Amino acid sequence: MIALSELNVVLCALDELPADSSVLDAREKRRAERLHSDLDRRRFVAAHTALRRELGQRLEADPATLEFSCEPCSQCGGPHGRPVVMRPGGSLARRAGLHFSLSHSGGQALLAIAPTPVGVDIEALPDAPMCQQLTALLHPREQACILSAPEEAQRTLFTRLWCRKEAYLKGLGVGFAHDSTEGYLSSLEHTPGWHVTNIDAPTGFAGAVAAADAPL
């Protein structure tokens, strides 16, 4: 089982971090350019700057020289599975036991680095109408769990559950390309082979991290 001390989870307030586009690659820059507002672009760059600096520190490499790719999806084989980082020169850094995940929402980002597959998710709480729409995308038992709670608690309960589910699926290398109505995951803390937990997120947000107990 992975030791929690080996799982490094970092919560970032993006508006307080540097946004250094010079360390990003061409693909990351294109993704930033497609965002509509200057604030969203800055936050995207800040999140990816933070990730590159964390990985660069562990690999003892210039963050700007790191290259990223994706494993095949564990469900369909498509090129959108778990992300992997390449050392300068093209060797796969994951062979050294380096797995990572990044999520950002609004002004917050959550990143994790672990020796086994890992996924994270952070989300701003939706408004009540959006919460109802998104709840309908979940497994029927998950829907029942949320809708049976007091109305004032449903947004938080939904977002915590959504984050746990998203983090777990990202750790598997599936993400929400997978049918979110499949699989009852409200008790993810007891999912065999994985440690899944919520993190203490700022007011108005929820977040979660999922780490495999052993290499997959």
Side-chain angles (χ1 to χ4, degrees), residues 12-31:
C12 306
L14 294 176
D15 295 340
E16 300 174 7
L17 294 181
D20 182 4
S21 60
S22 70
V23 304
L24 305 189
D25 61 23
R27 179 175 175 272
E28 290 167 314
K29 290 176 182 177
R30 287 194 300 270
R31 289 178 62 191

Side-chain angles (χ1 to χ4, degrees), residues 90-125:
S91 62
L92 185 61
R94 227 201 66 191
R95 290 173 184 157
L98 185 70
H99 297 256
F100 68 94
S101 183
L102 172 67
S103 175
H104 46 93
S105 176
Q108 299 294 325
L110 187 63
L111 66 91
I113 299 174
T116 63
V118 65
V120 295
D121 191 48
I122 188 165
E123 302 285 348
L125 271 60

Side-chain angles (χ1 to χ4, degrees), residues 132 134-150 154 157-158 161 184 186:
Q132 291 181 353
L134 293 174
T135 296
L137 300 177
L138 299 177
H139 186 280
R141 289 176 63 192
E142 294 169 338
Q143 295 180 40
C145 176
I146 293 166
L147 296 176
S148 65
Q154 289 181 11
L157 182 61
F158 161 79
L161 171 57
Y184 175 60
S186 288

Side-chain angles (χ1 to χ4, degrees), residues 69-74 77-84 169-175:
S69 185
C70 289
E71 295 180 336
C73 173
S74 61
H80 49 257
R82 282 190 297 265
V84 292
L169 293 175
K170 287 171 70 175
L172 289 176
V174 179

Side-chain angles (χ1 to χ4, degrees), residues 28 34 37 68-69 77 86 110 134 143 156 162 172 189 204:
E28 290 167 314
R34 287 197 292 266
S37 75
F68 296 95
S69 185
M86 312 297 284
L110 187 63
L134 293 174
Q143 295 180 40
T156 298
W162 183 278
L172 289 176
E189 292 84 351

